[in-house]
Amino acid sequence: MASFDEFERLFGRAPQAATRLAHLGRRPDEQHGFVNAPVYRGSTVLFPSLEALLAYDQDYTYGRRGTPTTRRLQEAVCALEGGAATYIVPSGYAAITSAMLAFAASGGHVLVTDSVYHPARRFCDRTLARFGVDITYYDPLIGGGIGGLIRPNTRLILTETPGSLTFEMQDIDAIAAAARAHDVFVMTDNTWATPLYFRPLRHGADISIQAGTKYITGHADTLLGFITVNERAAPAMKTLHETLGLCVAPEDCFMALRGLRTLQVRLERHWASGLRVAEWLRGRAEVAQVLHPALPGAPGYDLWRRDFAGASGLFSIVLQPYPQSALAAMLNGLTLFGMGYSWGGYESLIIPFEAQAMRSATHFAAQGPALRLHIGLEDVDDLIADLAAGFDRLNAKAKAG
Ligand SMILES: *Cc1c(COP(=O)(O)O)cnc(C)c1O
């Protein structure tokens, strides 16, 4: 691996993020000089002797427990998040559910942000509840007030900043300080910012999860999740990960390593183009609200500026009241924006959503239809032209009735 320590010794500072992304998790010296980590396909690992087999203490013991490909990826993500260990799971959703399983316990209590990635709410209500875990949803804007919701049996707080679909920023420092006072674990879904733009563990969280499916792989072709933990959370997560038998195909890990190499350049473009489109949308009469925490004056902007180093290309808007038929005319005629779930690839996406149906602790007041946009790597003026024509269709259809 490139020696960042040697770099630091020579130049008196750590290498920048772009440099780290180009070198993390690479060991050409161990792979005949080839630049990238090879894909190790394998279940059985041979031991050289009976003594070694019985001692079970070599680097690799069984494919499920890790291969050189998975280890390189773990190393890289762990360094980016600044954690003690990183675990790889088959999807971002599996990162949430398996980490919750590691820290929740029967008879215990879990606090979950009302703005949580919606499938996680289903997991809590249908599966965790069945195992006798009590769940309370809380207002994402609660900050240090979370202390008032912590009970003697509270084990875990699941935060997400900004929140899925509605983009509320959470004060992780304040929540973590309250949690620490009661010995409660804090987990943050860090998918939106990626570890390049926010590092939850530095802000007091114990567990940072990431849907690698989104920006890390970045090409809408791979599903993968990461759980990065600090020292305090590592033992419970290690046990759960091993005992559930979670493992990921080496090709998918290879794709994630490849995605990491270009993460910074892609994110800079997603961020800049996303803000351009958000600013343009704010000036449109059809738009009642822009929910983009990196847009000056938008909800959450101050926290975003305090804690985050950048923004991704995902945000939402709320339109003025329009009938469904007008919305359909707008969306069905778009030439560049695709309609589909997930995000974080190179392509632009747009979906409508009903936030109020997905919450129980807070009310999301929307004047009209709400849309989530992912701004991809296309030319931003082309994207704006596509949306402008969409608004023309929206208005024409609304007028025609
Ligand atoms: C997409 C997403 C997930 C789930 O990731 P998958 O890999 O699709 O399972 C989790 N959290 C957030 C915030 C997401 O947007």
Side-chain angles (χ1 to χ4, degrees), residues 206 320 357 397:
D206 303 286
Q320 303 291 353
K397 185 73 187 176

Side-chain angles (χ1 to χ4, degrees), residues 63-249:
R64 198 180 62 222
R65 301 170 64 95
T67 67
T69 318
T70 57
R71 296 270 173 88
R72 294 298 88 79
L73 179 57
Q74 284 173 295
E75 241 167 62
V77 173
C78 194
L80 290 172
E81 292 268 10
T86 293
Y87 299 91
I88 310 177
V89 293
S91 69
Y93 184 36
I96 299 175
T97 58
S98 55
M100 290 195 90
L101 278 180
F103 297 96
S106 169
H109 174 236
V110 169
L111 285 160
V112 177
T113 178
D114 212 27
S115 55
V116 75
Y117 175 67
H118 187 245
R121 180 183 287 266
R122 283 202 302 250
F123 172 73
C124 290
D125 295 346
R126 294 182 191 171
T127 304
L128 279 187
R130 192 159 53 80
F131 288 100
V133 177
D134 238 354
I135 293 124
T136 304
Y137 294 95
Y138 68 87
D139 181 344
L141 304 180
I142 199 167
I146 194 100
L149 297 180
I150 293 175
R151 305 176 190 167
N153 63 340
T154 305
R155 311 289 292 253
L156 176 70
I157 303 173
L158 172 54
T159 67
E160 182 183 337
T161 183
S164 274
L165 299 172
T166 44
F167 296 90
E168 295 90 344
M169 290 294 296
Q170 294 202 249
D171 189 339
I172 301 300
D173 296 83
I175 291 173
R180 198 53 65 101
H182 295 90
D183 213 22
V184 173
F185 286 98
V186 174
M187 170 167 153
T188 300
D189 186 330
N190 193 35
T191 302
W192 185 84
T194 84
L196 271 196
Y197 290 159
F198 186 59
R199 301 225 234 158
L201 304 190
R202 285 231 181 129
H203 292 263
D206 303 286
I207 307 132
S208 172
I209 76 99
Q210 178 81 214
T213 308
K214 309 289 169 53
Y215 285 119
I216 292 196
T217 54
H219 292 71
D221 54 10
T222 309
L223 286 148
L224 193 85
F226 300 106
I227 303 155
T228 302
V229 290
N230 60 14
E231 294 286 356
R232 179 171 174 247
M237 196 61 235
K238 180 174 195 292
T239 302
L240 193 280
H241 190 261
E242 276 179 16
T243 53
L244 275 189
L246 294 164
C247 56
V248 173

